[in-house]
Amino acid sequence: VLGLPHAAANVGWALAYVLLIVFSVFTVFAGLLLVRVKGLYPEATCYADVMRAQVGPKSAMATQCLIVFSWIVLMPVYLIPASDSLSHLIDGASDGGEADSKTLCFWGFSLICVGLLIAPAQVRSLEKFAFLATPSFVAMILVILLVIVDFAKRGGTFGDLSSTGPPPGVEFLKFYGSASAYIFAYQGHSRFLEIADDMADPSRDFPKALLIAYPLMTFFYGLTILVGYGILGSSIDPFVLSSMETDGLARACGALLA
């Protein structure tokens, strides 16, 4: 979510909100299809289980390998903002908005994050992590509000540095990568079956969860884009916290995210 304003800077207002809404609808639709699959295969908790029931063990193994590979590829995407958040917690932000990194280099913060994740990574059940869902959601909302407060103190005219369509001269790969960020913002389908498995009545409860969670996510994603891109425009950093100028607010956001 904190990278979406920068993504909007590379695709423009119109496409940013079209992608935001379209991929939200696609994700809900995919979830509704998966809960129907869950009804056909009640014991399935992942894609591999479905493939095992439908095709066989070799297809199940191939599917699981692809899923694990995708998680490995995505690991840096999560590790980079976690490291940046820890950096802002410890070092705050300079007048220019960039983290000073006075304490450690990026790799040092990354190693600390990896170390902190070793213990919780041993938990193999989503049910045991459920108690973290509410504080995690609240922390994300607080971060968005603190970012809004920091950006609102800048002054200037809203929308001056933004554009309705893609900015002139934007490179194709940068445009494509930014558009893909909206797909990534809604990723998580590979855990839908496991989440549904923890529900008393998946056919009833999972659609309700989708129809509550994803419109809410879309709203806060849209709010973050509106504030970040609307105020800073094309000057917004890839990671929103790096654009914050108030040291105390940057440290607070770093603490909430780290």
Side-chain angles (χ1 to χ4, degrees), residues 19-34 182-189 192 206 210-211 213-214 217-218 221:
L19 293 173
L20 194 68
I21 294 170
V22 167
F23 288 131
S24 177
V25 172
F26 281 179
T27 304
V28 172
F29 180 66
L32 294 176
L33 291 179
L34 284 171
Y182 292 88
I183 302 176
F184 177 75
Y186 292 113
Q187 66 87 32
H189 307 75
F192 277 4
F206 195 72
L210 288 174
L211 295 173
Y214 279 90
M217 285 171 61
T218 303
Y221 286 175

Side-chain angles (χ1 to χ4, degrees), residues 163-180:
S163 61
T164 302
V170 62
E171 298 175 2
F172 172 76
L173 288 179
K174 183 177 290 186
F175 176 85
Y176 180 79
S178 297
S180 300

Side-chain angles (χ1 to χ4, degrees), residues 1-11 16 20 77 80-82 84-85 140 143-144 147 151 174-175 177-185 220-226 228-229 233-243 257:
V1 60
L2 297 180
L4 292 180
H6 181 262
N10 290 319
V11 301
L20 194 68
V77 180
I80 290 171
D84 286 342
S85 299
M140 195 69 247
V143 167
I144 293 173
V147 169
F151 287 2
K174 183 177 290 186
F175 176 85
S178 297
S180 300
Y182 292 88
I183 302 176
F184 177 75
F220 282 108
Y221 286 175
L223 179 62
T224 307
I225 294 170
L226 183 70
Y229 184 44
S234 57
S235 65
I236 189 79
D237 280 281
F239 187 53
V240 166
L241 265 62
S242 297
S243 292
L257 291 174

Side-chain angles (χ1 to χ4, degrees), residues 84-162:
D84 286 342
S85 299
L86 187 60
S87 172
H88 283 87
L89 167 62
I90 296 174
D91 291 329
S94 67
D95 293 336
E98 294 289 340
D100 287 333
S101 297
K102 297 181 289 291
T103 307
L104 286 173
C105 67
F106 170 78
W107 300 105
F109 285 119
S110 298
L111 288 173
I112 292 175
C113 289
V114 170
L116 293 173
L117 288 171
I118 290 176
Q122 307 312 308
V123 179
R124 298 298 184 222
S125 170
L126 286 179
E127 185 178 4
K128 296 178 181 178
F129 273 123
F131 71 96
L132 292 175
T134 299
S136 176
F137 174 77
V138 172
M140 195 69 247
I141 300 306
L142 289 175
V143 167
I144 293 173
L145 294 176
L146 292 175
V147 169
I148 291 173
V149 170
D150 181 86
F151 287 2
K153 295 165 63 177
R154 307 288 182 90
T157 304
F158 181 89
D160 269 358
L161 301 175
S162 62

